[in-house]
Amino acid sequence: MTATPSSARKVPSEADYLRLDQQICFSLNAASRAFGSVYRVLLKDLGLTYPQYLVMLVLWERGELPVKKLGEHLRLDSGTLSPLLKRLEAAGMVRRERSAEDERSVHVHLTDDGAALRERALMVPRRIASATGFDLDEIGELRDRLNRLTAALDAAAAE
């Protein structure tokens, strides 16, 4: 008789599905909180919070954007995004400007200081990758799986 590999998983019983350690949402939340702790330390030197860092990432990648488009990229509504932008503007990282063509639209621009911060931020992804203990292929695979998970959940929520 062949021994069962130690990595084989026991099929959970119906009751096991209500255990906390069986909840993917809990595992994702715990990982998110752990990421937040690592980011908090790394971003302190940049003078950014994690949500502000995400705003800066989009602006470094895309350049000037309307607030609405920025919110779409970040999956944030304007009520959440506006206070972030106000703090970034007060810190001299971005400038908000009403569109001349459509006064309802506000565009967000990087300032020179905001653009220059990108160079200092280049160390963040490397340090995050190092903190995970994963190699770049594993990180890419995990990111792809999480993107598929997000798309599936978005589709389920839309039903």
Side-chain angles (χ1 to χ4, degrees):
M1 183 173 253
T2 311
T4 307
S6 60
S7 63
R9 292 182 192 239
K10 177 186 148 206
V11 176
S13 71
E14 193 71 22
D16 286 339
Y17 285 113
L18 291 178
R19 290 174 44 115
L20 181 62
D21 65 357
Q22 294 296 311
Q23 307 305 308
I24 188 173
C25 57
F26 180 74
S27 295
L28 286 168
N29 187 58
S32 179
R33 291 174 55 89
F35 265 115
S37 296
V38 174
Y39 271 107
R40 198 170 5 271
V41 171
L42 294 175
L43 296 176
K44 184 177 183 183
D45 291 338
L46 300 178
L48 297 173
T49 64
Y50 179 69
Q52 291 170 341
Y53 174 68
L54 295 180
V55 169
M56 297 302 288
L57 286 174
V58 173
L59 294 173
W60 289 329
E61 180 183 346
R62 305 279 176 164
E64 171 267 322
L65 284 173
V67 171
K68 183 177 179 178
K69 281 285 183 202
L70 186 58
E72 289 171 7
H73 285 291
L74 295 169
R75 300 173 61 102
L76 295 174
D77 60 42
S78 63
T80 303
L81 191 52
S82 290
L84 283 173
L85 294 173
K86 276 185 180 179
R87 286 191 296 275
L88 284 170
E89 191 170 36
M93 298 295 145
V94 302
R95 185 179 79 254
R96 292 178 298 162
E97 218 171 76
R98 288 223 175 264
S99 168
E101 297 84 41
D102 181 357
E103 286 190 15
R104 297 170 297 175
S105 181
V106 174
H107 290 248
V108 182
H109 306 263
L110 285 169
T111 63
D112 290 343
D113 287 347
L117 188 62
R118 183 181 184 278
E119 288 304 309
R120 291 182 43 218
L122 287 172
M123 60 71 174
V124 173
R126 284 190 301 258
R127 290 196 179 160
I128 291 294
S130 175
T132 68
F134 291 178
D135 65 35
L136 293 178
D137 288 338
E138 290 173 309
I139 290 171
E141 181 182 312
L142 178 59
R143 185 187 55 244
D144 292 345
R145 285 176 178 245
L146 289 171
N147 288 340
R148 287 197 331 259
L149 175 63
T150 300
L153 293 172
D154 284 346
E159 291 178 353

